[in-house]
Amino acid sequence: MNEIRDILNTMEYGPAPEDDKDVRAWLARHGDGFGHFIGGSFTSPGKDTFEVHNPANGETLARVAAAGEAEVNKAVGEASKALKKWQALSGNQRARHLYSLARHVQKHARFLAVLETLDNGKTIRETRDIDIPLVARHFYHHAGWAELCETEFPGYEAAGVCGQIIPWNFPLLMLAWKVAPALAAGCTVVLKSAEHTPLTAIAFAEICAEAGLPAGVFNLVNGAGETGAALAAHPDVAKLAFTGSTEVGRILRRQTAGSGKKLSLELGGKSPFIVFENADLDAAVEGVVDAIWFNQGEVCCAGSRAIVQEGIAERFHEKLRARMEKLRVGNPLDKSMDMGAVVAPVQIREITAKVEAGVAEGAQMWQPSWAKTTSNADGCFFPPTLFTGVAPSSTLAQEEIFGPVLASMTFRTPGEAVQLANNSRYGLAASVWSQNLDEAFDAARQIKSGIVWINSTNLFDASAGFGGYKESGFGREGGREGMLEYLVPSWLGKAKALPESEPLPAPEPAPGSDNPGLDRTVKMYIGGKQARPDSGYSYPVSGKGGRHLAEVGLGNRKDIRNAVEAAHKASGWSAMTGHQRAQVLYFLAENLELRSAEFAARLSETGMSSSAARREVEASVARIMFYAAWADKYDGAVRAPDKRMLTLALNEPWDVMGISCPDEAPLLGLVSLVMPAIAMGNRVVVTPSPRQPLAACDFYQVLDTSDVPGGVVNIVTGDRDTLADTLAKHDDVSALWYFGSKAGSGLVERESAGNLKPVWANNGKARDWFDAKQGQGEEFLFRAVRIKTIWTPFGV
């Protein structure tokens, strides 16, 4: 007699195909091809087109127009024409439009899910149950932000026309991530779809027309890299958002340098999946399935590096192999499939090449017994693959594969696990598995990544910010922080251009001083000590009427290197509580006020009137107190995207920042930039006004007497752009603020492309440092932190 357990062991999956006839009919109606969506209507396909294929079987689905410079110009022009009317709508009116888009996405959910599966190759279960519901969720969520934008972001306005470039792995979801906040903020959009997967973006354009979105608010151009380059270079695009490879992110950073465009980049990843010995191993194995075999591993935050505690590694890998044997790869329209097709043959070739490199390096590869059947299939299928014995420096551990390949290595102690996790140039996401939440949270706080999932993986929500550290890019999508990516201060549009700075005087003997006292040697300040410049050179600083005041050290690359090393050694400052940092800043304000007459006299030497000098010192004291007040109050947020999950949006310091100070308001400008940075726990390497650095050099005496630990503030004098160039290129400087010329802004943005550090540059625009809106506030605090989103199970 058969027992039920025996039947269950021998049961085969029956076919469960999703009906695609409606999508096929839609494609047939557009047999002549698809054009671009510009100014509220579709263009004709024209002659310059490309084919779109179904990766599951290679069939041609459609022919789509490729946009050149003329089409991009037309789309940006229509977006520019629509901008004022869209911005003039009330928040409630824009909210109604976003709400309508969300409703229409839900109405067409099945159609969109099937079309996404045909176009991309991912399984219908994923498009139906994850992608399309999240698309609707993003438009609903941002309908709320449109309603609340004016009151929740006072003093801000829409950035303008947005150029948005999306990838092929989540075609419609990435569209929603970018379009929804842009429209909510009052921006208009020109979106470039991915060359492999443009069809759901085209369907969304039809939905925009159906839902009554005003013409020109959303525009769609299709094409390859040349189309994206034309969009990024367009002078009327005020904000560029890109999701894709790190290599293309670097190109866009260089291309937009000095243009004044806002830029956000969500790039590659090599995310660690840490399994501690007390983890629920069965749950962790299912987590791996979701981490690396979800969407065929074509996920920027895929958990592609398993880091498993040594004592349970063998048992964990055994369970993992057994689970891999049961995975099903095949027709993505079949609802019983676990994995679908990789997007294109070129991607199969790239995955195969990296797998072969891993084997050549000596790692042990394992695939299910049925793996060879996938290579005989008609479409682009690749089996789930496990590598064990992977060296931390190997290609498998360091390079993004973007396929269903897991590289596993082991660790002994929690500290070693964190070191392995951070041993990557990427920092997008991480997953930590442990039944000991103290252990899990301790690791989560130390891992350098923008998202950490605890006992979970690959969870997303419109309320939770998403974005990376290091070469995984900068900027956030989702949540309050994602809205700020599409807003700019309202005063910025009327800001005046700064005059070009004159070059520094040559480092040669200057006319003698009429001061009969001892000659003053002005040194730099590194690691809490006064330091002579490595170059051995100094340059003269002049005051009122050209009177020679002093010689100041001419800093160079070696001085910056020493200052960065000193800043890294002062890591204890970042570990202090906000309250402790606040006490130090209050003490600093107290000591500066005690010496206010002396600092006012120093500023007067530069030609400033006595009353103006006193005003600047008083404003500097008040500004220090302002950021002392914020030191323990600018904190994160707790969000509840699901009744069983909480997300913690934590403000983390950049660690070591570079700051290039302006010439105007030499003391107040320095204080206004340094104080928010150190209040948030950063350590800084600051270059003061090159023309008037003496007040900054006096300021380090106040730092010495105010319990500011050595290395927290390091001051290197010299030519602003020469030193900023070094800071931009330095791999151990995590963020850079630059306030100087337009040419200098372009320089630091361009040179930061190598390590993709975020740069906040003034683009040569003047800022009133005495003004409470321009010289202080949340803008500075927001720029002084990077937001880490931690997901954790909550309750039973």
Side-chain angles (χ1 to χ4, degrees):
M1 179 177 178
N2 289 329
E3 294 186 7
I4 292 177
R5 64 184 179 186
D6 296 328
I7 296 173
L8 291 175
N9 286 332
T10 58
M11 282 179 68
E12 292 292 329
Y13 283 96
E18 180 68 35
D19 188 354
D20 63 353
K21 68 176 185 296
D22 292 333
V23 172
R24 296 286 180 181
W26 179 76
L27 291 170
R29 287 198 303 273
H30 295 88
D32 293 336
F34 293 96
H36 312 291
F37 186 72
I38 298 175
S41 60
F42 280 95
T43 66
S44 62
K47 294 182 180 179
D48 190 4
T49 62
F50 58 94
E51 290 185 344
V52 179
H53 299 98
N54 180 346
N57 55 25
E59 70 170 317
T60 301
L61 293 173
R63 199 166 51 87
V64 177
E69 191 171 332
E71 290 81 5
V72 170
N73 287 340
K74 184 178 179 183
V76 174
E78 291 296 324
S80 298
K81 281 168 52 179
L83 182 62
K84 285 188 178 180
K85 288 184 178 179
W86 182 248
Q87 287 179 312
L89 295 180
S90 68
N92 176 266
Q93 289 171 315
R94 285 199 300 273
R96 287 172 178 269
H97 282 294
L98 270 80
Y99 178 82
S100 180
L101 288 173
R103 292 288 289 160
H104 279 75
V105 166
Q106 286 183 318
K107 291 175 185 177
H108 300 292
R110 184 177 178 186
F111 174 89
L112 292 170
V114 173
L115 180 60
E116 192 81 302
T117 292
L118 286 175
D119 197 17
N120 170 271
K122 63 175 65 183
T123 66
I124 188 66
R125 291 193 307 153
E126 292 172 6
T127 59
R128 180 196 64 195
D129 299 341
I130 299 173
D131 289 24
I132 306 307
L134 276 174
V135 170
R137 163 67 175 147
H138 271 78
F139 282 102
Y140 277 129
H141 179 80
H142 287 92
W145 278 124
E147 184 90 41
L148 303 172
C149 192
E150 186 175 347
T151 55
E152 287 299 306
F153 300 99
Y156 284 86
E157 63 183 29
V161 175
C162 296
Q164 301 180 330
I165 303 172
I166 59 173
W168 45 257
N169 58 335
F170 289 90
L172 191 57
L173 183 55
M174 292 298 100
L175 177 151
W177 279 23
K178 288 175 169 52
V179 172
L183 299 190
C187 300
T188 55
V189 168
V190 178
L191 181 124
K192 190 201 87 68
S193 62
E195 183 182 8
H196 290 306
T197 56
L199 297 182
T200 46
I202 292 169
F204 177 79
E206 289 188 346
I207 286 173
C208 288
E210 180 184 69
L213 189 70
V217 172
F218 173 79
N219 304 272
L220 172 69
V221 291
N222 304 298
E226 298 81 4
T227 308
L231 180 59
H234 201 288
D236 292 336
V237 170
K239 154 76 180 180
L240 184 67
F242 171 76
T243 296
S245 72
T246 297
E247 292 73 20
V248 175
R250 285 196 179 92
I251 293 170
L252 293 175
R253 171 72 284 180
R254 293 188 181 100
Q255 185 179 7
T256 58
S259 65
K261 289 180 173 66
K262 289 196 74 172
L263 177 66
S264 56
L265 299 173
E266 196 266 283
L267 307 175
K270 195 68 182 174
S271 301
F273 188 100
I274 302 175
V275 183
F276 286 98
E277 61 186 3
N278 62 3
D280 181 335
L281 294 190
D282 292 321
V285 165
E286 289 305 310
V288 170
V289 174
D290 288 338
I292 188 60
W293 297 312
F294 166 63
N295 200 34
Q296 299 71 249
E298 297 171 316
V299 185
C300 52
C301 55
S304 56
R305 285 189 297 149
I307 302 174
V308 187
Q309 198 149 18
E310 211 171 68
I312 51 100
E314 185 175 344
R315 189 153 52 99
F316 178 76
H317 291 145
E318 182 181 345
K319 286 177 174 287
L320 191 56
R321 292 187 189 99
R323 182 67 178 89
M324 291 169 67
E325 193 69 35
K326 298 292 186 182
L327 292 176
R328 305 188 77 231
V329 179
N331 177 13
L333 279 175
D334 189 331
K335 292 186 279 288
S336 66
M337 290 299 164
D338 297 300
M339 290 171 55
V342 171
V343 74
V346 64
Q347 190 65 17
I348 287 285
R349 290 193 292 271
E350 290 186 11
I351 295 168
T352 301
K354 289 176 179 175
V355 165
E356 290 173 351
V359 172
E361 289 176 349
Q364 290 79 53
M365 185 183 78
W366 191 90
Q367 293 176 333
S369 60
W370 47 262
K372 290 184 179 180
T373 62
T374 61
S375 61
N376 297 324
D378 294 332
C380 300
F381 296 100
F382 198 94
T385 302
L386 169 66
F387 277 94
T388 55
V390 175
S393 61
S394 69
T395 300
L396 292 169
Q398 294 297 324
E399 299 299 323
E400 186 176 35
I401 297 175
F402 224 64
V405 180
L406 178 68
S408 185
M409 60 198 81
T410 61
F411 70 92
R412 293 181 180 179
T413 66
E416 186 184 359
V418 171
Q419 284 185 324
L420 288 169
N422 290 335
N423 180 34
S424 172
R425 69 179 191 272
Y426 299 111
L428 185 55
S431 189
V432 180
W433 294 77
S434 174
Q435 293 292 82
N436 183 335
L437 288 184
D438 289 339
E439 184 175 59
F441 273 103
D442 185 57
R445 290 303 302 267
Q446 295 181 69
I447 294 171
K448 298 299 182 185
S449 68
I451 304 99
V452 181
W453 294 288
I454 292 177
N455 293 328
S456 54
T457 193
N458 272 342
L459 299 175
F460 312 98
D461 187 74
S463 67
F466 185 93
Y469 287 13
K470 300 186 285 188
E471 291 187 26
S472 289
F474 48 79
R476 292 293 182 266
E477 293 180 299
R480 182 184 182 88
E481 52 270 36
M483 280 294 294
L484 283 166
E485 297 293 337
Y486 291 91
L487 297 168
V488 294
S490 301
W491 60 267
L492 193 59
K494 298 179 181 178
K496 296 180 179 179
L498 289 168
E500 289 295 325
S501 301
E502 296 180 6
L504 289 181
E508 57 189 33
S513 170
D514 56 5
N515 185 357
L518 289 172
D519 183 69
R520 182 181 181 215
T521 303
V522 180
K523 299 184 180 70
M524 297 180 294
Y525 186 66
I526 297 176
K529 299 177 181 179
Q530 297 184 40
R532 296 184 185 277
D534 174 74
S535 68
Y537 286 107
S538 59
Y539 70 95
V541 176
S542 301
K544 186 176 182 180
R547 185 169 68 91
H548 176 68
L549 297 178
E551 299 280 330
V552 176
L554 187 64
N556 65 11
R557 182 174 57 186
K558 178 66 161 48
D559 298 308
I560 292 291
R561 190 182 76 183
N562 292 341
V564 172
E565 288 178 358
H568 274 281
K569 291 177 182 177
S571 58
W573 178 256
S574 300
M576 291 170 62
T577 65
H579 168 71
Q580 290 170 318
R581 291 194 295 269
Q583 301 313 298
V584 174
L585 265 63
Y586 278 123
F587 193 25
L588 186 64
E590 177 186 334
N591 286 331
L592 178 59
E593 187 170 64
L594 287 173
R595 298 177 60 177
S596 57
E598 176 187 340
F599 275 84
R602 175 66 73 191
L603 292 171
S604 296
E605 289 180 340
T606 67
M608 192 182 295
S609 69
S610 297
S611 60
R614 288 195 299 272
R615 178 179 177 236
E616 183 164 342
V617 176
E618 289 170 1
S620 298
V621 172
R623 192 131 300 161
I624 298 172
M625 294 184 67
F626 177 84
Y627 288 113
W630 271 111
D632 61 350
K633 298 174 185 66
Y634 190 71
D635 45 24
V638 178
R639 294 155 184 163
D642 183 272
K643 66 180 180 180
R644 294 161 296 183
M645 297 294 298
L646 290 180
T647 66
L648 313 177
L650 301 180
N651 293 332
E652 290 197 339
W654 294 102
D655 292 336
V656 175
M657 295 176 57
I659 299 177
S660 301
C661 294
D663 285 320
E664 63 272 26
L667 177 62
L668 181 59
L670 178 138
V671 166
S672 298
L673 294 170
V674 170
M675 291 305 117
I678 66 172
M680 294 297 99
N682 298 287
R683 296 91 71 194
V684 300
V685 177
V686 57
T687 65
S689 161
R691 309 297 303 182
Q692 301 297 342
L694 297 183
C697 296
D698 287 342
F699 189 68
Y700 62 60
Q701 299 171 8
V702 183
L703 296 171
D704 272 341
T705 59
S706 303
D707 295 339
V708 179
V712 172
V713 179
N714 303 274
I715 300 174
V716 179
T717 53
D719 181 71
R720 175 170 45 232
D721 288 359
T722 299
L723 298 174
D725 177 71
T726 301
L727 287 167
K729 294 174 180 175
H730 203 300
D731 288 342
D732 286 336
V733 174
S734 298
L736 177 61
W737 293 356
Y738 176 91
F739 288 82
S741 67
K742 181 175 176 60
S745 297
L747 168 74
V748 296
E749 289 179 339
R750 185 169 56 253
E751 296 304 324
S752 69
N755 46 43
L756 286 168
K757 67 166 58 69
V759 172
W760 182 26
N762 68 330
N763 199 39
K765 297 289 185 68
R767 184 180 287 253
D768 183 356
W769 295 100
F770 290 90
D771 184 81
K773 293 181 179 178
Q774 298 183 31
Q776 69 178 28
E778 184 181 1
E779 182 184 16
F780 292 81
L781 294 166
F782 179 71
R783 299 277 189 173
V785 296
R786 48 187 171 184
I787 297 173
K788 174 183 284 184
T789 301
I790 298 180
W791 290 71
T792 181
F794 181 72
V796 178

